[in-house]
Amino acid sequence: SPFAIINAPGETNPSKLNLNDTLIILNTEFGRTPRAQGSTGRNHHPYGYVTAFIGGPTTKGISGAIGPNGVASTYASPAQNRIAALLALGIWPFSPEAFAVSDVPSATGEVDAALKAMQACLGRTA
C-alpha cells in the first residue's frame, strides 16, 4: 500500500512520515475549461485547476467543490496557495520580489492577507 510510508493515527514510527509535521501539496500545472468546447473536449484553462494540501498545519473540513455547471463554489488563487504554503514553512511571503497584499482578495494589509490565505487554503485562523 502506498500509505505504508505514513504513520497511522497514534503511530510514532520515526522511519515513516508524520502528517502532523509534514505538509504534502498536490498541485497541477494547468486546469481544464469548466465546459466542453464544441465536440473536441476541453482546453487548458489558467483559472481552474486543483490543489490539495494534506497534513501539516491543515485542519479538517476545508474543501472546494465543483458543481455540475463546472463552476467552483469555493476557491483560492494560485498566489493564495503559494502564500499559504510559504507561511506553513515559516516563510513570510510579502516582499517586493515575492507576493503583494493585493494577491489576496479583499486583504487590507500583510497580516490580514496572511490570515485570509491560511484560512482559505489551510483552514487555519492563525
Side-chain angles (χ1 to χ4, degrees):
S1 163
F3 299 108
I5 64 167
I6 300 171
N7 275 326
E11 187 178 9
T12 58
N13 184 336
S15 67
K16 292 183 178 184
L17 290 175
N18 180 349
L19 289 182
N20 290 328
D21 60 15
T22 302
L23 177 62
I24 299 169
I25 303 172
L26 305 172
N27 189 51
T28 60
E29 65 181 68
F30 66 87
R32 293 290 185 189
T33 53
R35 293 175 189 77
Q37 294 181 317
S39 61
T40 60
R42 301 182 308 159
N43 202 349
H44 293 186
H45 188 57
Y47 304 109
Y49 59 92
V50 175
T51 299
F53 291 91
I54 303 165
T58 61
T59 60
K60 294 181 182 178
I62 299 301
S63 64
I66 299 174
N69 64 354
V71 177
S73 60
T74 60
Y75 61 90
S77 70
Q80 283 177 278
N81 286 328
R82 290 177 181 95
I83 289 167
L86 289 169
L87 289 165
L89 292 168
I91 299 169
W92 191 249
F94 302 105
S95 68
E97 56 279 338
F99 294 98
V101 170
S102 62
D103 288 322
V104 180
S106 73
T108 58
E110 288 183 1
V111 172
D112 185 45
L115 291 171
K116 286 181 179 192
M118 287 191 313
Q119 176 63 41
C121 301
L122 305 175
R124 300 190 61 90
T125 56

